[in-house]
Amino acid sequence: MLEFKALTKQFKNTVAVKPATFTIPDGQMVGIIGRSGAGKSTLLRMINRLNEPSGGQMLFQGRDITALKGRDLREWRNECAMVFQQFNLVGRLNVLTNVMSGRLFHHNFFSSMAGVFSEKERAFAIRALDRLGMAHVALQQTDTLSGGQMQRVAIARALVQEPRIMLADEPIASLDPLNAKVVMDALRAINQQDGLTVICNLHTLDTARQYCDRIIGMQEGVIVFDGTPKELTDKAAREIYGAEAEDAFSEAMTSTALRPGAQRAQPEVRVVN
Amino acid sequence: MASITTNTPANGSDKDPVSLFESHRRQMIRDRMVVNVTLGVLFIAFLLWSAWISRFTPDRLAAGLPRIMEYFGSVMPSLQWDVLFESRDEAGRFPPGSLGFWYNDFWKYIRLIWETIRMALTATLIGTGLAVILAFLAARNTTPAHWVGVAARRFLEFCRGVPEILFALVLVFAVGIGPLAGVIAIVIHATGALGKLSSEVVENASMRPVDGIKAVGGNWFEQMRYGILPQVMPNYTSYALWRFEINVRASAVVGFVGAGGIGAELSHVISFYSDDRVTAVLILIVLTVTMIDLLSERLRHALIGKESLK
Amino acid sequence: MSTLTFATINEADVSAARKRYPQAFGNPLVRALKIGSWVFIAVYLAWSLHVFEIGKLLNASDRAWQLVSRMVVWQDMATWQYANIYRGIAQTIAMAFLGTLLGTIFALMWAFFAARNTMPVGIIRHAVRRLLDIFRGIDAVVWGLVFVRAVGLGPLAGVLAIWISDMGNLAKLYSEAIENIDRKQVEGVRATGADTGRIIRYGYLPQILPVFISLSLYSFESSTRSATILGLVGAGGIGMIIIERFRAGLFDQVAFVVLNVLVVIAIIDWGSGLIRKRFIGERGH
Ligand SMILES: Nc1ncnc2c1ncn2[C@@H]1O[C@H](COP(=O)(O)OP(=O)(O)OP(=O)(O)O)[C@@H](O)[C@H]1O
Ligand SMILES: [Mg+2]
């Protein structure tokens, strides 16, 4: 269980996340939605402390996450893997090494500096790649892959961390619809088969509705909606998105709905499933 | 004939675009003239001041030129074709005018040049290693703490600012005459120069992979090793090779203050004999430096070529 | 698909993965080569440091400490003859300026003989290039020593040394700039019916002039650096003061002089950067 107690983040002159209090039980798949600049990324990056919270507390299984330092902090980051919008892989290394880098936390200084990975790690990384259908490119240089392939490699890297939570910051925002579907399906599978908590920033409503157990809506740093996809009515969604509602409803480019008929001119909410 | 029509009111001469343009143009030319004349005057003044302070006058130059000619005449080898390839006589001497006579100390020079190259190679290896670490500390985007970055940058600037031979002078005093002082001097300067360049490369590298490694729980060293190093490695290699070329030149000179290599011999033959030994050593140095330049240039191009193919 | 944990990976999984993706487990030859080259570098470094008597460092701590402590504690500052110091620095800058200027002028001539597109005769081009290699291949300090022998101690030797080494460097860089010229712009000027003079004035000069000026400014910067050490061999400038006072054991004064030189060099770099930006724009160099 991941508990947030009045967690806040203030940058120099903007409050990106205003005191947020909520709880995420284990094994839930949560989608965070909201317009650009609402503070979704900031909230997510605070969970694994890529952004330092400026106030409040986070507890995981009762343990205070906000106070972690040094090796404990890195251990926590290892426990909650992150998938980025821009994949954040090391383009000049091959796919396998990128995936194996998910196990760096378990290495000592010398083996990690020398880049020595064990056979077990190699087999494990190949299995993880295989699970995402990417084992065949294991030895290719990573920056030669397509965006969708890179994101699957990034998920494989996250998997070899053996995390308890998986964070995903707009994992499909740079992908075409087909790849977006593949990636979201993979995240959902991880959530359902491995029982991982998945927290995912999304910017298309239909994706959030289709894949998530629970949707959190943010507006200017405040959580304005927290409920099931069913509870997220058309009206509620309009409130979250404000003036950008039309875009969010119909952004067929990166949505996972794969409907040839979807057009910007049809702002009605599509209920999937 | 073609004509260009404008939509100018015929009466308003001050609004006529042509005359407007002309006056604007004249103004610009005047402005530029002022700037150019000022610069010219400044330049001439600086030139005269320079000539005065360094006592560099045409008559001194004119007096110096014949002496330079005379000197270069005296250090040229006097080779004679008929004995050019003659070997040692019964007394074990080369006849004057032969190559052997000119390069009597050939093997000594070769030994010293070999030492010079080794000094440069050792210094380049150590300097590159130190520069890689310092570059990560100095680059604004990767420095572990603000004050570490500032300190590292100042340190690199100091190392880069002081020439090798000055470090060598001081180090010869501290560790004694010999190549060790030279190697350390070159290491310090090369670390500064390479570190500065490398930190600029690091500052231009993408931080996304670093975030990625951070997110898997990697520490600072792992973030650098996996996030940045693969991005900057091709640049580093080519800088290191280029630095090796420079270090060879430097290690040929640090001997002037007693810090090993061919420099001591060169300084000795120039200061004590003005004969063909000067050219003998100089030619060997030029050959070495040129050969190493060519080799390293080849290697660098091969590396860059490989990169661009990828 | 079943959940996958690292702990449950066993020998069978490893060998299955190895069977399917043998290369993923590394080529032993490549690995041996990699390790071998690192070992080679390490052994070379150890050996060469041994030959260079690294052990001397251990015995050096006394003298080094003495040196450093006398460098940081500045004594009798009233007797330091500041006028001499600053005249020396001024002379250094003057030497660098004159040397670079003369080097630039002469490099202009050489460059056209060394560039492929302005000197079609291969023999002459190669001869000029080899000659330039000699000018460049010998360090300015060595030229300094040579000229000190020829014309005596003093800044004249220094100016000559900078002149000749800058000439070699600049001529090479200039000739590369001439070779990299954009033919299309020249064709464009020629197409307007311009004569040779105008083709050079409007076709060539606008392309190469900014590059030349920028290169010369860079060269001036690096010449100020080399001018500071020319004095070590007696070729004038601040280096003469540095070595005199160093030999006399006045380490505090040496430290002071070097600090001053660093500041002056930083100022010159900054100023020349300004000029480059102001008159040439970022593109030239
Ligand atoms: N490093 C930073 N420094 C200063 N302000 C920041 C920084 N990062 C984010 N912000 C600000 O915090 C607010 C929230 O940003 P955040 O990136 O979390 O929004 P978001 O919901 O992820 O938007 P998007 O959908 O565009 O990614 C914005 O106003 C942003 O300008
Ligand atoms: Mg975001």
Side-chain angles (χ1 to χ4, degrees):
Chain A
M1 193 165 71
L2 188 59
E3 292 169 82
F4 297 76
K5 293 185 176 167
L7 195 72
T8 42
K9 175 69 186 178
Q10 177 153 19
F11 289 111
K12 259 158 246 140
N13 33 29
T14 46
V15 185
V17 176
K18 294 185 183 138
T21 304
F22 60 100
T23 303
I24 297 177
D26 289 343
Q28 201 168 46
M29 179 139 176
V30 183
I32 304 178
I33 58 169
R35 52 200 281 193
S36 182
K40 308 184 291 289
S41 300
T42 310
L43 180 64
L44 206 69
R45 289 168 66 93
M46 274 196 290
I47 298 178
N48 69 353
R49 302 269 304 277
L50 284 184
N51 280 355
E52 273 316 308
S54 20
Q57 246 191 345
M58 276 182 297
L59 302 177
F60 182 65
Q61 321 294 38
R63 188 163 64 129
D64 188 359
I65 299 308
T66 22
L68 295 178
K69 272 203 195 96
R71 194 178 158 80
D72 292 336
L73 172 59
R74 284 187 281 113
E75 183 175 19
W76 166 243
R77 284 184 180 145
N78 186 248
E79 270 173 46
C80 69
M82 184 148 194
V83 174
F84 297 85
Q85 177 180 347
Q86 295 296 336
F87 329 125
N88 292 19
L89 296 168
V90 186
R92 287 185 165 280
L93 296 180
N94 66 21
V95 167
L96 190 70
T97 312
N98 263 296
V99 176
M100 290 188 297
S101 76
R103 295 211 63 83
L104 278 178
F105 175 75
H106 303 283
H107 278 241
N108 63 35
F109 179 79
F110 296 101
S111 72
S112 75
M113 287 302 110
V116 179
F117 295 95
S118 69
E119 300 201 323
K120 225 174 137 184
E121 282 171 323
R122 286 171 194 275
F124 189 44
I126 288 174
R127 292 279 287 272
L129 279 169
D130 206 26
R131 184 165 173 193
L132 288 137
M134 294 296 294
H136 60 287
V137 294
L139 293 168
Q140 208 165 317
Q141 187 171 321
T142 307
D143 54 16
T144 60
L145 300 182
S146 75
Q149 289 177 316
M150 284 207 223
Q151 196 60 297
R152 282 188 276 163
V153 172
I155 294 174
R157 173 170 76 179
L159 276 180
V160 301
Q161 287 178 236
E162 302 189 285
R164 305 224 244 164
I165 298 179
M166 177 131 17
L167 310 172
D169 189 4
E170 313 221 7
I172 55 167
S174 314
L175 306 181
D176 62 78
L178 188 61
N179 276 309
K181 183 168 157 37
V182 172
V183 165
M184 284 313 293
D185 284 345
L187 286 176
R188 185 61 172 162
I190 288 163
N191 166 251
Q192 291 185 332
Q193 291 163 9
D194 303 16
L196 284 185
T197 308
V198 176
I199 309 176
C200 188
N201 281 350
L202 293 167
H203 70 288
T204 49
L205 261 182
D206 54 358
T207 315
R209 283 204 168 97
Q210 184 180 353
Y211 289 97
C212 299
D213 305 323
R214 171 179 173 189
I215 294 176
I216 291 179
M218 288 186 75
Q219 194 180 48
E220 293 182 10
V222 182
I223 294 178
V224 293
F225 176 87
D226 189 349
T228 61
K230 287 235 171 63
E231 287 163 3
L232 183 68
T233 59
D234 195 1
K235 185 162 156 289
R238 272 180 206 286
E239 268 166 22
I240 296 171
Y241 280 101
E244 283 174 19
E246 311 302 302
D247 291 342
F249 286 118
S250 59
E251 206 160 330
M253 276 308 291
T254 51
S255 105
T256 46
L258 274 185
R259 288 206 183 159
Q263 285 168 7
R264 288 180 69 90
Q266 297 177 328
E268 89 275 5
V269 180
R270 290 184 296 272
V271 181
V272 185
N273 295 350
Chain B
M1 254 183 82
S3 70
I4 299 171
T5 58
T6 63
N7 48 4
T8 322
N11 50 354
S13 61
D14 54 333
K15 285 197 177 119
D16 170 23
V18 175
S19 68
L20 253 177
F21 171 76
E22 277 300 321
S23 71
H24 187 223
R25 198 174 88 99
R26 247 174 279 134
Q27 180 63 39
M28 262 179 60
I29 290 175
R30 244 199 321 273
D31 287 354
R32 210 189 297 164
M33 274 277 283
V34 171
V35 172
N36 284 351
V37 168
T38 321
L39 275 180
V41 168
L42 276 177
F43 187 81
I44 304 240
F46 193 49
L47 181 64
L48 292 176
W49 174 82
S50 296
W52 170 73
I53 197 129
S54 59
R55 287 171 284 141
F56 186 82
T57 49
D59 57 305
R60 281 174 64 93
L61 186 59
L65 275 180
R67 275 153 66 197
I68 295 170
M69 291 301 150
E70 194 189 319
Y71 179 77
F72 279 108
S74 72
V75 298
M76 284 299 153
S78 53
L79 296 176
Q80 278 151 15
W81 181 245
D82 48 331
V83 293
L84 195 60
F85 299 107
E86 206 88 338
S87 52
R88 294 172 196 275
D89 58 19
E90 304 84 57
R93 297 231 174 81
F94 286 102
S98 67
L99 274 177
F101 183 77
W102 185 24
Y103 272 107
N104 199 21
D105 290 330
F106 183 72
W107 291 110
K108 178 181 169 193
Y109 300 154
I110 292 295
R111 193 178 58 73
L112 285 171
I113 282 195
W114 177 228
E115 178 178 271
T116 309
I117 295 175
R118 275 194 357 255
M119 282 167 65
L121 186 62
T122 307
T124 309
L125 286 172
I126 300 176
T128 310
L130 292 176
V132 169
I133 298 168
L134 279 165
F136 288 138
L137 295 176
R140 285 179 183 79
N141 51 345
T142 57
T143 184
H146 180 72
W147 68 268
V148 175
V150 174
R153 283 197 292 277
R154 289 297 95 76
F155 178 70
L156 289 177
E157 273 161 23
F158 172 76
C159 293
R160 197 175 72 104
V162 179
E164 293 101 344
I165 200 164
L166 266 186
F167 281 129
L169 183 71
V170 174
L171 283 161
V172 164
F173 178 85
V175 304
I177 286 182
L180 183 66
V183 171
I184 301 175
I186 299 171
V187 163
I188 297 175
H189 186 80
T191 302
L194 276 176
K196 171 101 191 316
L197 270 177
S198 310
S199 74
E200 278 164 15
V201 179
V202 170
E203 283 178 359
N204 287 327
S206 162
M207 287 302 280
R208 289 214 172 95
V210 176
D211 257 7
I213 299 297
K214 209 180 194 175
V216 304
N219 58 25
W220 183 82
F221 294 97
E222 286 157 347
Q223 289 164 32
M224 298 302 111
R225 162 70 175 80
Y226 291 90
I228 301 275
L229 200 64
Q231 296 185 62
V232 296
M233 205 54 201
N235 278 311
Y236 277 12
T237 331
S238 107
Y239 285 161
L241 279 170
W242 164 78
R243 196 68 218 179
F244 177 59
E245 297 170 31
I246 295 175
N247 286 348
V248 171
R249 285 158 206 260
S251 62
V253 165
V254 287
F256 281 24
V257 294
I262 187 89
E265 181 68 15
L266 180 62
S267 143
H268 181 75
V269 294
I270 295 179
S271 308
F272 293 100
Y273 323 103
S274 41
D275 60 15
D276 55 3
R277 274 172 275 193
V278 174
T279 33
V281 179
L282 278 181
I283 288 174
L284 278 181
I285 291 181
V286 170
L287 278 181
T288 311
V289 165
T290 322
M291 252 157 46
I292 286 184
D293 278 12
L294 280 177
L295 228 111
S296 138
E297 206 170 323
R298 278 273 166 80
L299 258 170
R300 268 189 298 165
H301 282 190
L303 280 176
I304 293 168
K306 217 171 77 191
E307 280 312 311
S308 62
L309 276 178
K310 271 185 183 168
Chain C
M1 273 194 275
S2 65
T3 56
L4 186 73
T5 60
F6 185 65
T8 59
I9 297 276
N10 53 30
E11 282 301 313
D13 296 317
V14 172
S15 56
R18 189 197 283 280
K19 205 167 208 173
R20 278 179 66 199
Y21 302 100
Q23 296 103 316
F25 290 81
N27 186 337
L29 194 71
V30 172
R31 194 176 302 163
L33 227 68
K34 228 181 218 170
I35 295 173
S37 52
W38 281 110
V39 168
F40 179 78
I41 289 176
V43 168
Y44 167 79
L45 274 181
W47 170 75
S48 84
L49 286 176
H50 171 73
V51 170
F52 293 147
E53 301 173 273
I54 185 81
K56 284 201 287 190
L57 267 187
L58 296 176
N59 310 326
S61 55
D62 266 5
R63 305 198 62 154
W65 177 244
Q66 184 191 350
L67 193 77
V68 169
S69 57
R70 273 158 74 191
M71 272 184 170
V72 277
V73 181
W74 292 5
Q75 288 167 336
D76 306 326
M77 288 187 66
T79 64
W80 281 11
Q81 297 178 303
Y82 296 97
N84 270 348
I85 295 176
Y86 291 110
R87 191 170 325 114
I89 292 181
Q91 203 175 60
T92 304
I93 300 171
M95 278 159 50
F97 179 70
L98 287 176
T100 311
L101 185 65
L102 289 165
T104 300
I105 294 168
F106 281 77
L108 279 176
M109 299 182 339
W110 289 111
F112 288 92
F113 286 98
R116 191 184 304 275
N117 47 349
T118 49
M119 171 43 74
V121 187
I123 297 173
I124 299 181
R125 193 172 67 230
H126 282 294
V128 168
R129 283 187 183 177
R130 292 297 84 76
L131 191 65
L132 293 176
D133 279 346
I134 294 177
F135 295 151
R136 289 186 314 120
I138 298 174
D139 200 272
V141 186
V142 180
W143 283 120
L145 194 60
V146 168
F147 284 120
V148 164
R149 277 295 272 177
V151 301
L153 293 171
L156 178 62
V159 174
L160 291 169
I162 294 175
W163 174 358
I164 203 153
S165 67
D166 271 16
M167 182 170 82
N169 271 323
L170 283 174
K172 171 155 192 272
L173 296 171
Y174 284 178
S175 70
E176 281 166 7
I178 296 171
E179 283 177 356
N180 288 338
I181 211 162
D182 179 9
R183 302 292 306 168
K184 278 180 250 129
Q185 293 187 35
V186 180
E187 293 299 315
V189 177
R190 185 170 287 141
T192 64
D195 55 28
T196 315
R198 274 168 214 211
I199 290 173
I200 290 174
R201 166 70 183 80
Y202 292 100
Y204 286 95
L205 271 190
Q207 288 193 54
I208 54 179
L209 205 60
V211 183
F212 280 15
I213 292 177
S214 170
L215 287 172
S216 285
L217 278 168
Y218 271 123
S219 180
F220 175 55
E221 288 172 37
S222 77
S223 297
T224 16
R225 289 167 205 273
S226 38
T228 57
I229 53 172
L230 278 171
L232 297 190
V233 294
I238 190 70
M240 280 173 95
I241 290 172
I242 293 178
I243 191 130
E244 268 167 23
R245 299 194 180 183
F246 186 85
R247 295 257 145 89
L250 305 169
F251 301 132
D252 45 356
Q253 302 190 24
V254 171
F256 174 78
V257 173
V258 170
L259 276 182
N260 272 280
V261 169
L262 285 181
V263 170
V264 168
I265 285 179
I267 292 174
I268 287 178
D269 284 3
W270 171 78
S272 120
L274 272 193
I275 298 179
R276 266 201 305 275
K277 232 173 236 166
R278 168 80 177 71
F279 291 98
I280 297 125
E282 301 280 7
R283 70 188 188 87
H285 69 73

